Amino acid sequence: MKISVAHKLTKTDALIVFVPEKKFTVKNYKAFLPTEITDEIVTRMKAEDFKGEKNEVLQIFVSSASSEKIFLVGYGKDDAHTDIMKAAGTAIRKAKKSKAKKVVVAIPEKVCAHCVSKGAYLGNYEFKVGDTSKQFSPTELRILTVEKIATKDLKPTTTLAEAMCFTRDLINMPRNLMKPDDVTKQAKAIAKGLLNPVKLKVMTKKQLTKLKMGGILAVGQGSTTDTKVLVFEYYGGKKTDETLALVGKGVCYDTGGYSLKPTSGMLDMKMDMGGSATVLGIFHWIAQNKPKKNIIGVVGLVENMISADAYLPGDIITLMNGQTCRITNTDAEGRLVLADCLHYVKTKYNPAKIIDFATLTGAVIRSIGENTTGVFTNEAKFLEELQNAAKTAHEDTWQLPLNQEFRDCIKDQEADIVNWTGKVKAGASMAAGFLENFVGDTPWIHCDIAGTAYHDKGSALQPMGATGVMVSSVVEMLQAK
Ligand code: BES
Ligand code: ZN
Ligand code: ZN
């Protein structure tokens, strides 16, 4: 869907008018809507057919209007950005249902055009493998406003929505269609052609063996597909500028291995590459917007499967950092993948800061639910920076504890460390304690997106499935001064 800004109403298939709750003022719309339409809105609101409550939609009929279908959408009393995004998502779905190709959204002053474009783009997202002939999507969205804003000003936002939908696609694709090789293809597409200066390094099992990445290799041992680590190198800043590293867990399917998951727990485990899809989504945006920053992305792509070759509970493996690790639970595989990726990026690139994204633990969902990302850090200031960006991006995060208890619990008698212990109940913190061991003093944030990356219920901004969470927050951070 192409999104642009307009200041005058022209011929369209559907017109969506944003209306605040109980407060429709004709003069705010006079510049771009004909009086037949504003009169009809006044009448409908007087009759209380429509109040402008959040996400309320009403179709109105005006004989001589320039548009064929007119919808009013409410966004509540304030100009709150999340409400505006949701209203845009709700409205675009109505327009979609009405089979409108060209859609105009008329917004009064103060309603944020960025939020309208993001909400509409996200709300328009659909995922389907198979017969898409009955699907219908608007191809053009024009935002009608009196504000002095031009189409090009929306680019950071529209490309962000695109990047989030790219992340969603990767996650929503089932495992048989999105294996490590398929993710690699997607990464190559980002790095290619137009999208310079993003460089991509693809490391196969052979190279990972040379690098002694014993963690990710052990997890992939039971799979017939090639385990891979991808590295994006993007130097948009000066040579002397600091480098930010983004690391993602890319377990393309997590059966749990021999610590097998039960049927219900396994069903959605195609989403266990959500961390890697987040990193790819961020690089999708970087490639389009070329921020003046130096950014490295590392994703570990692997499948956690069962076979005669699979790793087993009781195995002792050697990680890239030289530490031995006893496996007590093959379902705690994400931390082994990240351990090698974190050590690799730290030693090879010496980044000033690291953020990792992972659908790491079921425990984080039990602690803080499905709408808040659990964050952990070894550097409060850095976390503040990300959490401020997350606030601007309207994504919820919550810091969870990472203290000595969780650093100590990974110690083992037989090996240097252990990947899981039943003695610790706070599973998300235990996993964070494990990861911290690999970053040393480098300022680092771990984002556990197990609850937030994938929702089994839809909302105004998406159908059920992948959300694209944390792409916005990081993009916001890259844009902050
Ligand atoms: N991929 C899962 C975590 C997960 C659970 C993501 C639910 C999304 C939804 C991870 O690899 C895992 O299996 N974690 C286990 C760890 C435990 C066995 C130590 C968990 O949290 O249940
Ligand atoms: Zn697992
Ligand atoms: Zn997993």
Side-chain angles (χ1 to χ4, degrees):
M1 186 168 64
K2 246 183 73 191
I3 302 182
S4 58
V5 174
H7 300 289
K8 245 201 197 141
L9 181 61
T10 46
K11 186 100 188 105
T12 178
D13 301 327
L15 169 67
I16 295 163
V17 184
F18 265 58
V19 179
E21 190 171 341
K22 290 185 182 152
K23 221 177 47 191
F24 182 76
T25 322
V26 175
K27 82 169 181 357
N28 293 342
Y29 297 81
K30 233 174 42 196
F32 47 69
L33 289 188
T35 46
E36 304 100 85
I37 294 181
T38 50
D39 285 353
E40 179 63 12
I41 298 175
V42 170
T43 311
R44 292 288 134 235
M45 290 195 85
K46 260 197 191 142
E48 295 201 346
D49 294 340
F50 178 82
K51 298 195 185 94
E53 283 167 4
K54 288 177 196 173
N55 298 320
E56 189 187 354
V57 181
L58 178 75
Q59 185 167 8
I60 59 168
F61 299 90
V62 179
S63 57
S64 64
S66 62
S67 150
E68 284 170 32
K69 291 187 174 124
I70 307 173
F71 300 98
L72 310 183
V73 64
Y75 60 91
K77 289 199 169 85
D78 330 300
D79 312 308
H81 284 196
T82 40
D83 293 337
I84 288 162
M85 269 191 340
K86 284 181 194 163
T90 306
I92 200 76
R93 285 183 182 214
K94 284 276 172 198
K96 201 177 168 101
K97 260 205 188 130
S98 79
K99 300 251 184 317
K101 265 210 154 12
K102 291 184 182 174
V103 181
V104 170
V105 182
I107 56 174
E109 239 178 323
K110 286 206 193 121
V111 167
C112 171
H114 291 274
C115 293
V116 172
S117 65
K118 189 175 173 190
Y121 198 96
L122 293 178
N124 192 32
Y125 175 82
E126 274 182 281
F127 177 77
K128 167 109 178 180
V129 181
D131 181 9
T132 51
S133 63
K134 286 192 189 64
Q135 275 179 325
F136 184 89
S137 254
T139 52
E140 201 186 295
L141 177 80
R142 270 170 293 152
I143 301 174
L144 194 54
T145 173
V146 288
E147 302 272 5
K148 279 203 187 83
I149 183 169
T151 300
K152 67 171 178 8
D153 301 325
L154 288 181
K155 187 185 172 193
T157 309
T158 49
T159 51
L160 167 60
E162 271 168 39
M164 284 174 73
C165 293
F166 172 78
T167 295
R168 287 177 177 182
D169 272 341
L170 295 186
I171 297 177
N172 283 332
M173 277 291 179
R175 172 267 175 180
N176 60 325
L177 302 176
M178 196 49 71
K179 298 180 184 182
D181 282 345
D182 301 299
V183 180
T184 304
K185 258 187 224 149
Q186 296 295 325
K188 282 183 180 163
I190 293 175
K192 230 191 217 156
L194 266 185
L195 309 178
N196 279 329
V198 179
K199 256 205 330 212
L200 179 70
K201 197 155 78 182
V202 178
M203 300 198 284
T204 61
K205 209 183 234 166
K206 216 169 137 188
Q207 286 145 302
L208 305 183
T209 309
K210 247 194 203 155
L211 287 168
K212 300 198 167 117
M213 288 203 180
I216 187 169
L217 287 170
V219 174
Q221 237 169 257
S223 161
T224 52
T225 64
D226 194 22
T227 298
K228 285 195 164 73
V229 171
L230 311 183
V231 185
F232 286 101
E233 289 178 3
Y234 172 80
Y235 294 104
K238 290 194 222 91
K239 262 213 164 119
T240 48
D241 289 351
E242 61 174 41
T243 300
L244 168 70
L246 306 172
V247 176
K249 167 181 173 182
V251 175
C252 293
Y253 203 83
D254 184 11
T255 67
Y258 275 93
S259 311
L260 193 64
K261 284 187 183 296
T263 308
S264 64
M266 202 188 295
L267 182 62
D268 290 332
M269 279 304 136
K270 64 172 184 182
M271 59 76 95
D272 212 20
M273 37 68 80
S276 66
T278 306
V279 173
L280 261 66
I282 296 165
F283 273 88
H284 194 283
W285 185 89
I286 289 171
Q288 303 285 340
N289 292 278
K290 304 191 171 47
K292 292 192 168 68
K293 303 257 159 116
N294 299 330
I295 308 152
I296 301 295
V298 177
V299 298
L301 302 170
V302 63
E303 292 177 331
N304 190 17
M305 307 291 271
I306 284 175
S307 91
D309 294 323
Y311 78 141
L312 291 171
D315 282 0
I316 294 180
I317 62 172
T318 305
L319 303 170
M320 190 189 177
N321 76 343
Q323 281 180 312
T324 55
C325 178
R326 188 162 65 95
I327 306 302
T328 43
N329 192 323
T330 59
D331 197 10
E333 84 297 339
R335 62 201 74 181
L336 303 171
V337 173
L338 289 174
D340 285 345
C341 291
L342 290 169
H343 180 78
Y344 174 79
V345 81
K346 184 177 156 68
T347 51
K348 170 100 184 155
Y349 293 95
N350 189 28
K353 294 166 179 170
I354 306 175
I355 310 178
D356 78 67
F357 308 90
T359 49
L360 205 61
T361 68
V364 80
I365 312 173
R366 292 187 291 276
S367 325
I368 53 174
E370 294 189 304
N371 296 305
T372 306
T373 294
V375 289
F376 303 81
T377 192
N378 59 0
E379 163 79 48
K381 267 240 137 56
F382 181 31
L383 181 60
E384 205 180 303
E385 192 189 337
L386 180 66
Q387 286 194 297
N388 282 339
K391 264 189 205 134
T392 313
H394 313 291
E395 293 192 314
D396 286 329
T397 60
W398 194 263
Q399 186 180 9
L400 292 169
L402 200 191
N403 54 36
Q404 206 52 41
E405 178 188 353
F406 303 113
R407 289 181 195 114
D408 289 344
C409 72
I410 65 165
K411 289 183 185 150
D412 193 49
Q413 270 198 332
E414 295 178 6
D416 296 329
I417 55 175
V418 63
N419 81 328
W420 176 79
T421 164
K423 286 184 206 132
V424 175
K425 302 288 178 242
S429 289
M430 180 192 349
F434 187 93
L435 297 182
E436 191 194 28
N437 174 59
F438 301 89
V439 295
D441 298 333
T442 307
W444 155 82
I445 300 166
H446 159 53
C447 304
D448 194 334
I449 55 171
T452 48
Y454 194 91
H455 287 164
D456 47 21
K457 247 179 34 213
S459 70
L461 296 176
Q462 66 164 102
M464 68 82 69
T467 59
V469 76
M470 291 313 284
V471 174
S472 284
S473 296
V474 175
V475 161
E476 209 51 69
M477 196 171 98
L478 296 180
Q479 289 177 289
K481 290 273 144 31

